Amino acid sequence: MSTSSHSLAAPGTPGRVCGTTGLGVCLDAQRFIKLNAVVGIVFLLLGGIAALLLALTRWQTVHLLPVDWFYRLLTFHGINMLILWILFFEVAILYFACTTPLNARLFSRKVAYTSFGMMLTGAVMVDYIIIAGQADVMMTSYLPLLAHPLFYLGIILVAVGTLIGVFNFFATLYVAKRDRSYTGSVPIVTFGATAAAIIAVVTLLHGAVVMIPTFTYSMGWTPQPDPAWYRLIWWGLGHQSQQVNVCAMVSVWYLLTHIVVGSRPINEAVCRTAFVLYVLFINLASAHHLLVDPGVGATWKIWNTSYAMYLAVLASMVHGFTVPAGVEIAMREKGYTNGIFGWVTALPWKNPAFSGTALSVVIFGFLGGITGVTLGTQQINIIAHNTLRIPGHFHVTVVGGTTLAFMALAYYVIPLIFQRDFIFRRVARIQPWLFGLGIVLLSFGMSFAGSMGVSRRSWDIDTQGVYGAAAHLWLGVLGIGGVLAFIGLLIFALLCVGTLLFGEKIEGRAMADWGTPPALAGSQPGSLAHDHYATKGTIVLVLTFLACFAVYYFANWKALTDVWPVR
Amino acid sequence: MSLRPLTAPWFHGPAGHEKIWLGCAILWCFVMSLMMPYWHFRGKQNSTGEAYTVKPADFFARTEKFVTANRVGTFKNPITNPMMQELPLVEPPAGGDAYLIGRMWQWYPALRLRLGETYRLHLSSLDLQHGFSLQPLNMNFQVLPGYDHVLTITPTSKGEFTIVCNEFCGAGHHAMTGKIFVE
């Protein structure tokens, strides 16, 4: 570690210069990136173990768990994956995005400790009370279902702790700007992280509005909140928090494609506008969960589910173009100019950070995005609500998209921040592929079983006497996918922990290269900056995507016409 | 640069392939936005969310009155299910109101409907939230305690249909079923 000649702006800040990138690293930020990332990965592993047992139960032929433990671990899985793993890792990303790219130091160590301490305390409380069997209410804890007060209190602590971490992020941005630790505009990674942080604040405020009266009700102090009101506000937390993930994930896409391939956003203005669209319109998405609810009318449903004319969907479609387009431009400038897709075959597919990112883009866009928008169409939701199609959708957004992108990031975070080279690098190279394959199979199993009417959050499908051999087959696919994904997750967790303990230390030297595409003879950096028709491969890919989208979308309208008329 | 601050001017409008894609994407967003209001007026399957507040005890009383007045028999479940061994079988008048209770853990009562007739189906819960999931058609609606959720529904296929609960409602959730027969 070369602590002497750091370039961080604030005088007296302990910092170091990264031996690989030459960028300054704030040691305070580094400490909390480490703490939050490690704790996040522990919760990922806990949630993953629960996931394996759940998959082996929904695989009807195996049907492993007894009924009470199925619902208990389903609650545990949801909380650990969607809230704990993601929030801890996102705080780590925020601390990175506000320091190193801006050459700034973290605003406050005390605030960071407070945030971390509250989040961890809350997380342990929630996990304890679930495993103790006092909170079998699912992640959504829909009233009048009632859990032990510790469950709500734990969630409130996690939410407030996260808010404090987000405050540290904004304070760091402010101080960096005030002290001129950088000049010009913040880079896209920081911009995207800022969008995520803004959405996080709105999200967590919804969480406070819904969780505090529910907590006081569980203590017997106040009357029961209305179940319909609870659903509306809870989804202001539940759905928006997933858009925090989307923002963080897209930022990671920009970060990793830049680090590995050297790509840059082809149009900063458009990319940034897309992030602003997320901030402005994602708030409406809580309606997606109320599409077949009583008490909210058709106009309200239609306007809100479309995020006001699909402007947030448009944002994702923009990133879905600019991320691969940036990669294509970078590759063509390096000299990989062969045909339409020559640059694709030359990409570093054995680099786990790159393969993880690319799989994340494809799985999130092609599977997660298309299914999400379609299932979230007001009328189509009639044939999808609360069936396994819903988890079939969000496992390819949150897991195949966000979690896979975060895993990909870890392949650089651990060498660059923890300063140790990965052990078993060959195993790491196949990990994203295995995990991605498992999640895709899981999602297909869920989606097809759901199309046959199999409901989510159900321990058994034989008691009803309506599901045939095909539904059982798809639940088997779900089970096999779950097992493969768990193996991928376990390999990831073991590689990370093993590397932290046994990885070769990096002292002032560059990290071992995962593999980046070398510049060929005739490479001309920056030569395509003004060629707006250079992304031939990407335009073919996105138009193919749009065709798949349209086919799936209208096929679902067709399927809707098969059911009884209803108003 | 994605990782370093931008110092040169970076604002410029979309051009070339990016402009083409933006145009396609915006057009597609318009198509999807217009499909929903179009279907609301021209399509036959919509969720209008028609609902009235109701106390669970009142809804129970209405349902019991409906069962007493229109009962035509008893449904005995051929599948072993301790949560639902038999239910009164009730036939609402064509064009009239039908009541269906969701409770831990059955849908009460069993209904017999006539093909092509339209009914106002009132759904509510006496305890927790439940999910009305009509199989094998796969039509799904949310059922909340305190809300009388009215579906104006027209059966267009004959046969035996099973109502499954698809909102988690405790340990017997998977066994919560009900029946609709269409003749």
Side-chain angles (χ1 to χ4, degrees):
Chain A
M1 233 190 294
S2 53
T3 49
S4 53
S5 62
H6 62 84
S7 60
L8 292 166
T13 312
R16 66 177 175 88
V17 172
C18 177
T20 307
T21 62
L23 299 172
V25 179
C26 164
L27 291 186
D28 277 347
Q30 174 174 294
R31 170 185 300 159
F32 292 104
I33 291 170
K34 285 181 180 177
L35 276 176
N36 282 285
V38 167
V39 171
I41 290 171
V42 169
F43 286 121
L44 174 69
L45 185 58
L46 289 176
I49 293 167
L52 176 71
L53 299 173
L54 295 171
L56 289 177
T57 306
R58 291 239 59 173
W59 186 351
Q60 191 74 21
T61 320
V62 181
H63 211 47
L64 183 68
L65 293 172
V67 61
D68 51 345
W69 275 97
F70 174 78
Y71 293 124
R72 193 161 300 152
L73 289 184
L74 190 50
T75 311
F76 184 83
H77 170 68
I79 294 279
N80 278 270
M81 292 308 211
L82 277 172
I83 298 190
L84 302 179
W85 140 249
I86 297 265
L87 282 185
F88 276 99
F89 208 82
E90 275 168 359
V91 171
I93 291 176
L94 288 185
Y95 287 165
F96 168 78
C98 66
T99 54
T100 293
L102 304 182
N103 201 30
R105 70 181 182 93
L106 191 65
F107 169 69
S108 165
R109 199 185 305 169
K110 279 182 190 162
V111 170
Y113 266 125
T114 311
S115 156
F116 180 74
M118 283 182 81
M119 287 174 73
L120 189 58
T121 311
V124 171
M125 277 165 69
V126 174
D127 273 359
Y128 164 75
I129 207 70
I130 294 172
I131 294 298
Q134 301 290 310
D136 297 339
V137 293
M138 305 290 113
M139 190 186 77
T140 44
S141 57
Y142 285 139
L143 287 171
L145 269 178
L146 197 59
H148 190 280
L150 269 188
F151 176 79
Y152 307 107
L153 194 61
I155 290 177
I156 292 169
L157 275 180
V158 172
V160 175
T162 310
L163 268 177
I164 293 173
V166 172
F167 166 78
N168 213 2
F169 169 82
F170 283 121
T172 305
L173 286 189
Y174 171 74
V175 172
K177 181 87 182 164
R178 185 193 67 191
D179 295 350
R180 302 210 173 113
S181 69
Y182 67 96
T183 48
S185 310
V186 299
I188 189 88
V189 171
T190 310
F191 193 89
T194 308
I198 293 170
I199 299 173
V201 171
V202 182
T203 299
L204 294 168
L205 289 178
H206 279 88
V209 168
V210 70
M211 278 297 149
I212 291 171
T214 309
F215 168 69
T216 56
Y217 166 61
S218 73
M219 295 295 291
W221 300 337
T222 49
Q224 185 203 302
D226 181 81
W229 174 87
Y230 179 97
R231 288 171 66 80
L232 174 65
I233 310 294
W234 195 92
W235 281 110
L237 165 75
H239 201 107
Q240 279 198 84
S241 57
Q242 304 320 311
Q243 315 288 346
V244 180
N245 301 341
V246 172
C247 268
M249 172 189 74
V250 174
S251 301
V252 169
W253 290 351
Y254 283 116
L255 176 66
L256 286 177
T257 52
H258 172 68
I259 291 179
V260 177
V261 188
S263 82
R264 55 180 189 273
I266 58 165
N267 187 332
E268 292 277 356
V270 171
C271 295
R272 282 162 202 247
T273 308
F275 276 117
V276 173
L277 289 179
Y278 281 144
V279 175
L280 292 178
F281 296 106
I282 240 54
N283 194 13
L284 310 181
S286 63
H288 287 212
H289 303 265
L290 278 55
L291 295 178
V292 293
D293 265 33
V296 276
T299 313
W300 184 90
K301 288 173 180 177
I302 288 172
W303 173 256
N304 287 291
T305 56
S306 75
Y307 300 106
M309 312 288 279
Y310 289 107
L311 286 171
V313 174
L314 178 67
S316 289
M317 291 207 279
V318 168
H319 294 304
F321 174 82
T322 54
V323 169
V327 171
E328 179 170 7
I329 295 278
M331 291 298 282
R332 287 187 185 276
E333 287 180 351
K334 281 176 193 276
Y336 299 94
T337 51
N338 205 1
I340 296 180
F341 291 122
W343 58 281
V344 175
T345 51
L347 285 166
W349 294 108
K350 287 180 181 173
N351 177 336
F354 182 80
S355 62
T357 307
L359 287 171
S360 169
V361 173
V362 171
I363 294 174
F364 180 86
F366 268 86
L367 303 179
I370 290 178
T371 56
V373 175
T374 306
L375 303 185
T377 300
Q378 202 244 321
Q379 293 91 345
I380 292 174
N381 195 250
I382 293 171
I383 56 170
H385 177 71
N386 272 356
T387 67
L388 266 179
R389 293 182 79 183
I390 305 300
H393 150 68
F394 68 69
H395 279 84
V396 274
T397 53
V398 183
V399 192
T402 307
T403 296
L404 193 49
F406 288 4
M407 283 175 168
L409 182 62
Y411 289 114
Y412 278 93
V413 166
I414 289 181
L416 294 178
I417 300 290
F418 291 80
Q419 294 176 288
R420 285 179 185 266
D421 267 329
F422 261 89
I423 57 169
F424 300 121
R425 292 163 58 82
R426 280 188 171 178
V427 182
R429 290 183 194 284
I430 59 158
Q431 187 272 335
W433 296 99
L434 184 62
F435 186 75
L437 174 70
I439 285 301
V440 168
L441 281 180
L442 175 93
S443 167
F444 270 80
M446 285 179 162
S447 299
F448 282 102
S451 305
M452 294 163 189
V454 178
S455 82
R456 66 186 291 200
R457 295 174 165 180
S458 183
W459 173 66
D460 180 73
I461 66 157
D462 286 338
T463 325
Q464 301 93 334
V466 285
Y467 303 112
H472 283 78
L473 177 72
W474 285 112
L475 290 180
V477 174
L478 179 166
I480 292 167
V483 171
L484 289 180
F486 175 75
I487 295 172
L489 187 156
L490 188 67
I491 291 174
F492 172 76
L494 291 179
L495 283 175
C496 289
V497 174
T499 300
L500 297 186
L501 296 174
F502 309 115
E504 195 183 327
K505 283 190 180 166
I506 301 171
E507 300 277 350
R509 65 173 170 84
M511 64 177 273
D513 191 2
W514 283 114
T516 48
L520 301 180
S523 122
Q524 293 168 307
S527 58
L528 297 177
H530 300 289
D531 183 349
H532 301 300
Y533 291 93
T535 52
K536 296 180 192 72
T538 303
I539 196 78
V540 172
L541 286 176
V542 293
L543 289 174
T544 310
F545 162 81
L546 193 57
C548 295
F549 198 160
V551 167
Y552 184 80
Y553 181 76
F554 286 113
N556 273 276
W557 281 109
K558 176 71 183 68
L560 181 66
T561 61
D562 291 341
V563 305
W564 294 350
V566 61
R567 268 188 291 118
Chain B
M1 283 293 123
S2 299
L3 252 183
R4 302 302 301 150
L6 302 169
T7 43
W10 49 264
F11 191 89
H12 59 87
H17 282 153
E18 186 176 35
K19 199 170 179 177
I20 295 171
W21 173 243
L22 263 179
C24 293
I26 290 171
L27 196 67
W28 177 236
C29 288
F30 265 109
V31 169
M32 292 195 299
S33 299
L34 293 175
M35 269 309 283
M36 290 189 286
Y38 167 77
W39 201 266
H40 180 76
F41 293 109
R42 302 298 297 271
K44 288 182 176 157
Q45 295 82 8
N46 285 287
S47 170
T48 55
E50 181 182 349
Y52 307 91
T53 52
V54 62
K55 290 198 176 72
D58 293 346
F59 193 82
F60 180 70
R62 280 178 218 172
T63 309
E64 283 296 22
K65 197 176 153 198
F66 161 72
V67 170
T68 313
N70 300 287
R71 181 162 183 167
V72 291
T74 302
F75 165 71
K76 291 194 192 314
N77 195 353
I79 299 166
T80 314
N81 181 352
M83 306 303 165
M84 197 269 270
Q85 286 163 339
E86 60 173 52
L87 292 171
L89 182 63
V90 184
E91 184 175 335
D97 294 86
Y99 290 82
L100 188 66
I101 284 175
R103 63 184 175 194
M104 297 156 79
W105 288 288
Q106 56 174 223
W107 295 97
Y108 174 92
L111 298 174
R112 189 163 77 196
L113 308 177
R114 295 284 163 189
L115 188 74
E117 297 292 345
T118 299
Y119 301 89
R120 281 172 62 79
L121 178 59
H122 298 254
L123 301 171
S124 193
S125 161
L126 300 187
D127 36 56
L128 301 176
Q129 301 195 16
H130 296 290
F132 172 91
S133 179
L134 190 62
Q135 301 298 339
L137 279 175
N138 201 12
M139 297 176 75
N140 306 279
F141 293 91
Q142 192 75 23
V143 179
L144 306 181
Y147 289 84
D148 174 5
H149 190 175
V150 186
L151 306 179
T152 306
I153 199 160
T154 312
T156 49
S157 44
K158 278 189 183 180
E160 178 182 337
F161 300 89
T162 303
I163 312 166
V164 172
C165 178
N166 69 7
E167 187 61 80
F168 172 69
C169 56
H173 161 56
H174 62 277
M176 177 170 167
T177 52
K179 281 286 170 184
I180 293 181
F181 298 89
V182 180
E183 290 175 358

